[in-house]
Amino acid sequence: MAGERFNARIADAKWQAAWDAARCFEARDDDPRPKSYILEMFPYPSGRIHVGHVRNYTMGDVLARAHRMQGRAVLHPMGWDAFGMPAENAAMARGVHPGEWTRANIAAMRDQLKSLGFAFDWSRELATCDPEYYGHEQALFLDLYAAGLVYRRESQVNWDPVDNTVLANEQVIDGRGWRSGALVERRKLAQWFLRITQFADELLDGLAGLDKWPDKVRTMQENWIGRSKGLRLRFALADPSTIEVYTTRPDTLMGASFLAIAPDHPLALAADPALQPAIAALKLGGTAAADIETAEKVGVDLGIRVRHPLDPTITLPVWAANFVLMDYGTGAIFGCPAHDQRDLDFARKYGLPVRRVVAAEGADPAEPIGTEAYTGPGRIVNSGPLLDGLAIEPAKAAVIARAEAEGWGEGSTVFRLRDWGVSRQRYWGTPIPIIHCATCGPQPAPRDSLPIVLPEDVDFATPGNPLARHPTWKHVACPACHGPAERETDTLDTFADSSWYFLRFASHPANAPFDRAAVDKWLPVDQYIGGVEHAILHLLYARFWTRALAHIGRLTVAEPFAALFTQGMVTHETYKASQVYSYTDSDGRSQIGDDEYWVAPDEVERSGNQLIESSTGNMVEVGRVEKMSKSKRNTVDPTPVIDQYGADAVRWFIVSDSPAERDFPWSATGIEGAWRFIQRAWRIADTVADEPDLAPTPDLAKAAARATHGVTEDIAALQFNKAIARLYDLATQIERAPPGTRRASTLIFLKLVAPIAPHVAEEAWERLGQHGLIVDAPWPQADPALLIDDTVTLAIQINGKLRDTIIAPKGLAREAAEALAMGQEKIVIALAGATPKKVIVVSDRLVNLVA
RNA sequence: GCGGACGUGGCGAAACCGGUAGACGCACCAGACUUAAAAUCUGAGUCCGAAAGGAGUGCGGGUUCGAGUCCCGCCGUCCGCACCA
């Protein structure tokens, strides 16, 4: 195709077929070269690929392809996180079976991914909704069960009292069920838990070794696990019983003015029947932390009084309160309004006393607390001889020592981290392999009954879990007594599916979840890439499963992801149109109103210097650049863009400009710019192909070496935007070099481009008469001698302000640099005969004359 | 509410360890080529100012010969919060 434009449509298909035929991207377990496991977080098959996926997988692909050219054995797999709520929502809304919906989505999305030419090892593809996958997950669950890492207890869920169903947090909108609109309440249900807290110390301490993780993610996990030292103490009631409370601020104990317990605390349930309706009202609202924390703090005085452990003459009232949860700690707290904002708000609302017990250094201990709790440092005041005058930390120690000596409490380390509730009252998930028997209790399902497969004939006409109401599925014999029993109808949280998929990619035997030797070869993942929204839950759960499997002897590796990269979101301008209409108001007068609505990018067109909506001609205003979302209609489907510009332009654009960890604004003009560069890269090769092959000029050889060095570093650091800037530079240098001297540099250029834009690189490689595929070509090496410049530009400053620059030999001595600077005409004029008081010379950088 | 980040031209950004702010790209403008357009190439391009010069990295202070970078205090925006994935 000499002299013609690069035809992406033809080239994309041609080279994708060539890579397929050569099975380029299949990883071999017996490959002796150094391994590189590159993994992007696998997608939920929601229907279509969105540009966020394209960004994520392009980043991983560039790295995988570069590593491959650098001579490593690369494992770069892809699969589907295929269980989840949207499939059931589709089933309810459209009557399609979740499995059918999911598999159709997978087929469509796989085609889309293939059209982008990603170097995936498709032979290892998996979908978590396949019994071949989730059966092994059930086996692993039984292993954890046998190791004592699984247990069952009651826990709160969002309950919709109209639909009689459990709601996910996202299905609770402003405290109401999303379908019924009923006020949601918190209700208790027996549920399965994984004992992640047993690994709390390990998971926390293990973060220190993850030096290739972003600091922010490690900090978030640290705070999430939240190891703290505090005091578990008991307040005595009038009768011999006690209420147990946990606090991280035992130093403020003398500031306690009330106790608050969860509305479902045994004492609250045992309170005066007349109070029960008020107590029940405290359970309204969702279980999400943000809902609970931001809801108005309300409570009910239970009429119970407890004695203060440090001063038995003080009695404190016990309240039931909506912000205390039975699931956290002991389900009871002591309120110290002076030094905790939430307690202060509560105390002010109900007229409870506020007693300052901490004062800043030098501040008046009698200074009353206003509307803001004091949480800063200082000394203990108003707390009696035991504590007054102590700093906070010694005061904590003193209270703990006293509690332990007198037997009413003990110091303890607690974690913010709670055990992982994995039960979901839903159909489209991995069935929990447990059988409930009225006589024997819960029994693990027999190994030879795995996989326990989901029934296909289910109905979604009514809310609730279709597994529970299926006529036959749950009825089985008890494995112990063989009497009639019932299967667990809860399914596993989909986070369980994504907690070990990276092991199954490394090794996928039919008769076991994975093979240890193969996993040991490939793990840990050398580079994991995904959205920062997974910084806590998914990454913590995956770390936990890996550690738990190592703990029970199934694995050697303890940490699954050696390096983590969290990429930013793809954003787009939003567009709003307005529709003017007239109506008659309640007084019978005619009025003009206007409705604003969102317009999709492909419905916006330019008309003069005005934007209009194509279908209606309504005026369109450009709104903020925001995360792509269906509600704002600012999403872009990559497929038409690939059809128009080709895979390379899309890949090039999506990793250009914005640093990978930051948000990336997609724009129609941006993709055109990328497309122009792909054409330019082809044009360079096409032109150079017909030229003789003479030695490059020194300048071009240097430019190619600099680009090689820089691009290699930039790709390794996932700084694709910088690599791309260098490639633009090198393209310019090649274009400006004398014809006939640029063949070698062009070949280097193409190799450097290949990981990002592999199709045009192959086409150009072939045009230049090279044998074999460029994906198999070795990565270029930069000659270190070419990276060194013999001249530098020195900045000359007066009082730190730039006055001139000079080109000087590299490594110039400070006296010579100073003399050179002082001799410059601009400097002589600026100094006007004055002698600098001081001269600062930074070698090969600048001379600063301080006047 | 709690936790974590981010903030540099019209826009996306770059700036090694505190040392020439704005590389590279997008958009825009001017020019070349063309009968014309597209494509391509060349150039201008932070702001104020005619220029000399001055100001300038969210805002206010500080450290330093020198601050986008370090410190203190604000403001704004975004993300996560355990049943969304």
Side-chain angles (χ1 to χ4, degrees):
Chain A
M1 53 196 273
E4 288 172 31
R5 273 195 185 177
F6 173 68
N7 185 326
R9 193 183 284 268
I10 294 168
D12 286 1
K14 170 179 163 188
W15 296 108
Q16 284 163 21
W19 301 325
D20 252 7
R23 300 171 71 168
C24 286
F25 309 126
E26 288 184 25
R28 291 197 336 264
D29 290 349
D30 60 356
D31 193 324
R33 297 173 297 171
K35 68 94 182 178
S36 175
Y37 186 176
I38 309 293
L39 183 65
E40 297 97 63
M41 291 178 186
F42 67 162
Y44 177 76
S46 53
R48 306 276 296 165
I49 292 290
H50 56 73
V51 285
H53 292 125
V54 176
R55 191 177 192 205
N56 192 180
Y57 307 140
T58 301
M59 289 177 191
D61 204 57
V62 172
L63 206 58
R65 285 174 174 271
H67 281 191
R68 201 185 129 76
M69 291 174 77
Q70 288 159 7
R72 293 188 230 181
V74 173
L75 172 56
H76 186 219
M78 179 47 65
W80 311 96
D81 188 14
F83 275 138
M85 229 168 35
E88 291 195 39
N89 292 340
M92 285 185 269
R94 278 173 265 164
V96 58
H97 188 275
E100 192 187 311
W101 182 83
T102 302
R103 280 179 253 276
N105 290 347
I106 288 175
M109 290 170 76
R110 186 194 297 115
D111 282 350
Q112 286 186 294
L113 290 184
K114 288 195 169 179
S115 74
L116 281 154
F118 291 132
F120 290 131
D121 179 351
W122 286 105
S123 73
R124 294 174 188 245
E125 180 185 4
L126 60 81
T128 58
C129 65
D130 288 339
E132 296 77 55
Y133 183 85
Y134 69 72
H136 293 304
E137 186 166 307
Q138 290 166 336
L140 292 173
F141 181 89
L142 292 179
D143 290 343
L144 298 178
Y145 184 87
L149 293 172
V150 178
Y151 68 96
R152 197 162 128 102
R153 68 165 163 87
E154 292 216 309
S155 163
Q156 286 184 339
V157 293
N158 298 307
W159 183 258
D160 184 320
V162 170
D163 279 349
N164 285 314
T165 188
V166 175
L167 298 177
N169 283 338
E170 75 158 11
Q171 297 173 319
V172 179
I173 293 149
D174 297 329
R176 290 172 182 276
W178 68 336
R179 285 173 197 279
S180 69
L183 281 172
V184 167
E185 56 195 68
R186 300 196 286 265
R187 180 179 276 210
K188 291 200 142 182
L189 224 58
Q191 309 205 68
W192 293 99
F193 282 81
L194 297 189
R195 226 178 272 282
I196 188 172
T197 54
Q198 186 175 316
F199 293 81
D201 273 310
E202 266 191 56
L203 289 167
L204 187 60
D205 297 339
L207 290 170
L210 299 175
D211 55 340
K212 291 180 190 162
W213 280 41
D215 287 342
K216 63 173 175 181
V217 175
R218 287 190 297 176
T219 309
M220 281 192 259
Q221 292 217 352
E222 239 169 73
N223 291 334
W224 186 260
I225 296 169
R227 183 160 56 198
S228 67
K229 288 200 164 44
L231 174 66
R232 194 176 280 273
L233 76 158
R234 289 167 290 279
F235 286 84
L237 276 72
D239 64 47
S241 67
T242 59
I243 300 179
E244 191 172 54
V245 157
Y246 176 79
T247 178
T248 56
R249 292 294 304 270
D251 54 309
T252 64
L253 188 51
M254 288 307 291
S257 61
F258 63 95
L259 256 57
I261 66 174
D264 51 341
H265 191 283
L267 267 174
L269 300 175
D272 186 345
L275 294 174
Q276 290 305 327
I279 293 170
L282 299 175
K283 296 184 200 171
L284 284 176
T287 60
D291 293 342
I292 291 164
E293 296 293 329
T294 54
E296 194 191 355
K297 312 296 177 272
V298 291
V300 175
D301 186 348
L302 298 175
I304 306 169
R305 297 295 177 265
V306 292
R307 277 196 303 280
H308 195 290
L310 283 177
D311 182 351
T313 65
I314 303 174
T315 62
L316 303 174
V318 179
W319 288 64
N322 64 345
F323 59 90
V324 183
L325 285 188
M326 202 57 214
D327 287 356
Y328 299 78
T330 62
I333 61 155
F334 77 76
C336 177
H339 307 291
D340 181 292
Q341 192 60 45
R342 192 177 57 181
D343 295 349
L344 183 63
D345 295 343
F346 192 77
R348 291 292 184 225
K349 183 177 171 83
Y350 294 107
L352 295 161
V354 178
R355 177 180 186 177
R356 175 191 282 278
V357 291
V358 181
E361 208 69 47
D364 177 8
E367 172 79 27
I369 299 282
T371 53
E372 232 168 89
Y374 179 73
T375 55
R379 300 215 170 253
I380 306 299
V381 295
N382 306 323
S383 294
L386 175 69
L387 299 173
D388 278 350
L390 292 179
I392 289 171
E393 289 307 318
K396 287 180 180 174
V399 172
I400 292 171
R402 172 70 64 94
E404 289 177 349
E406 295 181 352
W408 47 265
E410 44 285 318
S412 68
T413 298
V414 296
F415 295 91
R416 209 185 77 94
L417 181 68
R418 308 183 329 244
D419 275 335
W420 174 13
V422 292
S423 285
R424 299 290 181 271
Q425 296 69 39
R426 283 196 267 281
Y427 166 77
W428 195 233
T430 301
I432 294 177
I434 296 285
I435 293 164
H436 297 281
C437 171
T439 40
C440 312
Q443 298 292 317
R447 297 271 174 173
D448 60 13
S449 70
L450 303 186
I452 297 164
V453 179
L454 288 166
E456 288 289 316
D457 53 333
V458 280
D459 90 275
F460 291 90
T462 36
N465 183 359
L467 280 184
R469 58 170 184 267
H470 188 278
T472 55
W473 184 79
K474 66 182 172 187
H475 301 294
V476 287
C478 169
C481 70
H482 307 291
E486 288 191 1
R487 284 194 193 286
E488 172 63 66
T489 58
D490 285 355
T491 50
L492 282 173
D493 180 2
T494 58
F495 272 124
D497 310 335
S498 53
S499 290
W500 70 285
Y501 76 108
F502 42 90
L503 303 175
R504 186 77 186 163
F505 275 146
S507 159
H508 45 106
N511 58 353
F514 48 83
D515 168 67
R516 183 171 185 156
V519 166
D520 281 351
K521 177 199 161 85
W522 291 111
L523 271 276
V525 171
D526 296 276
Q527 183 66 63
Y528 196 32
I529 308 176
V532 70
E533 66 274 17
H534 294 294
I536 297 176
L537 294 180
H538 161 60
L539 288 165
L540 194 62
Y541 292 147
R543 292 181 63 218
F544 160 60
W545 270 63
T546 308
R547 278 180 187 271
L549 292 173
H551 175 78
I552 61 176
R554 301 292 307 272
L555 273 181
T556 310
V557 65
E559 285 291 342
F561 313 122
L564 171 71
F565 188 86
T566 55
Q567 105 264 5
M569 293 176 308
V570 182
T571 59
H572 198 286
E573 276 181 340
T574 50
Y575 305 100
K576 249 186 185 174
S578 49
Q579 170 78 58
V580 178
Y581 61 96
S582 57
Y583 66 99
T584 309
D585 71 12
S586 51
D587 297 334
R589 287 177 294 216
S590 69
Q591 301 278 358
I592 302 283
D594 75 298
D595 266 343
E596 286 204 325
Y597 59 98
W598 300 104
V599 180
D602 56 8
E603 288 162 17
V604 174
E605 65 181 51
R606 183 164 284 283
S607 161
N609 50 4
Q610 192 80 287
L611 291 180
I612 58 162
E613 183 185 18
S614 338
S615 55
T616 62
N618 287 339
M619 265 173 47
V620 168
E621 280 189 36
V622 178
R624 307 169 23 137
V625 174
E626 291 195 68
K627 173 181 177 174
M628 288 190 181
S629 72
K630 280 184 187 160
S631 63
K632 303 254 164 79
R633 301 198 67 203
N634 61 339
T635 56
V636 170
D637 182 351
T639 293
V641 186
I642 298 165
D643 288 346
Q644 189 177 353
Y645 297 101
D648 288 341
V650 173
R651 295 168 57 111
W652 188 268
F653 176 49
I654 202 78
V655 294
S656 65
D657 290 354
S658 288
E661 68 278 9
R662 238 185 270 180
D663 287 354
F664 177 85
W666 180 276
S667 69
T669 50
I671 181 73
E672 293 214 18
W675 179 81
R676 279 200 295 271
F677 180 79
I678 299 301
Q679 293 300 333
R680 189 175 163 204
W682 164 252
R683 210 160 44 239
I684 288 170
D686 192 31
T687 309
V688 168
D690 298 326
E691 293 176 3
D693 183 15
L694 306 174
T697 62
D699 279 351
L700 185 56
K702 276 191 168 190
R706 268 199 314 272
T708 300
H709 179 74
V711 169
T712 306
E713 281 193 341
D714 291 340
I715 289 180
L718 292 96
Q719 298 186 328
F720 309 109
N721 55 321
K722 288 163 69 175
I724 281 177
R726 290 183 205 280
L727 289 169
Y728 274 112
D729 242 4
L730 180 56
T732 305
Q733 299 303 319
I734 293 174
E735 286 166 340
R736 291 181 181 176
T741 67
R742 3 188 236 187
R743 192 178 176 89
S745 309
T746 301
L747 291 174
I748 292 172
F749 169 71
L750 292 175
K751 287 184 183 185
L752 298 177
V753 163
I756 309 175
H759 308 86
V760 72
E762 291 286 8
E763 192 70 31
W765 189 250
E766 186 184 61
R767 172 78 179 93
L768 281 160
Q770 299 298 301
H771 297 294
L773 295 166
I774 199 169
V775 288
D776 290 326
W779 192 249
Q781 301 276 327
D783 175 356
L786 293 174
L787 297 175
I788 300 161
D789 278 319
D790 39 14
T791 60
V792 289
T793 306
L794 286 183
I796 307 171
Q797 302 176 330
I798 294 176
N799 293 331
K801 280 190 193 293
L802 183 71
R803 292 297 163 184
D804 203 359
T805 59
I806 43 174
I807 293 170
K810 197 180 169 77
L812 194 64
R814 66 174 286 130
E815 295 75 17
E818 182 180 336
L820 196 56
M822 295 291 285
Q824 293 302 303
E825 196 187 338
K826 283 188 188 172
I827 302 305
V828 173
I829 294 167
L831 284 175
T835 312
K837 284 191 214 121
K838 193 171 162 189
V839 179
I840 288 156
V841 179
V842 180
S843 181
D844 291 339
R845 282 219 157 261
L846 60 77
V847 178
N848 186 14
L849 308 169
V850 185

